[in-house]
Amino acid sequence: MLVAREIGAATVVSMTFTVVRPAQGEFSWSITVGPDQPRDDSTADQINAVLGQAKAGESAQLWIERAGPDDDAFALGLGLAPYRDLWRMQRPLPADRSSIATRAFVPGADDQEFLRVNNRAFHWHPEQGGMTAGDLADRMDEEWFDAEGFRLYEQGGELAGFCWTKVHPGETPPGGEIYAIAVDPDFHGRGLGKPMTLAGLDHLADLGLAVGFLYVESDNDPAVATYRSLGFDHHSTNRAYRMMVE
């Protein structure tokens, strides 16, 4: 029997994977399977039970975290095809210190300018793009939010870029994430990507964290090259699969 309970916008099913009905975006349903969840008949039955709730013509997405060599076959057996790889890249801390000075985000004062830059920089991105004031407020309400770890860089009184970090105390060893980083398109070509990344790593290292990591689209060659030049290596892959419900 499928046991589910509502928590905000998400339904947690048998505490093994997460099902979300996104309010916006391409997909009507999104299922995430954690790295330790067996890819077996029991998991397949639960996923099929969720997909059985979808209406004809709705789209569904399946994320498999830390995808392995057999996961494509598992997803294909459910009728889903791979379409997107999100790489986790990481490096030990500390790194070289950043050459630029940043400041902490000030909730309420910096919201609108951040949203402007974020949505210009991530207009193409399925999760980070199109962020609203409500979306930002929801993220600032999360337990992990720390304004000191949300670093802003200004030039001439304008927000040129930001590096938003997130601490993961449950990691072994404890790690910190470059959660979102962007440079306003008006400031492209000025070599800000590397020092912005290092500013985030500076903050994480100053907290005593031993590992810094981030997630990047596997086909974003310029970003991958930048991160490799900063000492990041590919660690694991979260793979997304999709289908149209008939």
Side-chain angles (χ1 to χ4, degrees), residues 55-169:
K55 299 176 182 178
E58 289 188 328
S59 55
Q61 173 180 246
L62 171 69
W63 276 103
I64 295 183
E65 297 182 339
R66 298 185 190 174
D70 298 326
D71 286 333
D72 284 359
F74 174 78
L76 182 62
L78 295 165
L80 295 119
Y83 81 98
R84 181 183 174 195
D85 277 3
L86 193 64
W87 280 6
R88 172 169 165 155
M89 301 184 72
Q90 65 182 46
R91 60 149 297 142
L93 296 176
D96 293 336
R97 302 294 294 187
S98 179
S99 60
I100 61 174
T102 60
R103 67 169 177 85
F105 177 86
V106 179
D110 291 321
D111 297 23
Q112 291 305 312
E113 187 65 2
F114 159 72
L115 288 170
R116 183 187 69 81
V117 172
N118 179 85
N119 291 337
R120 278 167 52 83
F122 286 111
H123 63 90
W124 54 274
H125 198 277
E127 286 91 30
Q128 191 70 16
M131 186 182 292
T132 66
D135 296 331
L136 176 59
D138 288 344
R139 297 190 196 189
M140 289 193 292
D141 282 341
E142 295 283 350
E143 288 185 7
W144 56 262
F145 177 76
D146 175 16
E148 284 296 322
F150 193 165
R151 309 304 302 173
L152 306 185
Y153 175 64
E154 296 170 318
Q155 279 191 357
E158 295 184 57
L159 181 61
F162 63 86
C163 185
W164 192 350
T165 68
K166 180 179 181 180
V167 174
H168 292 257

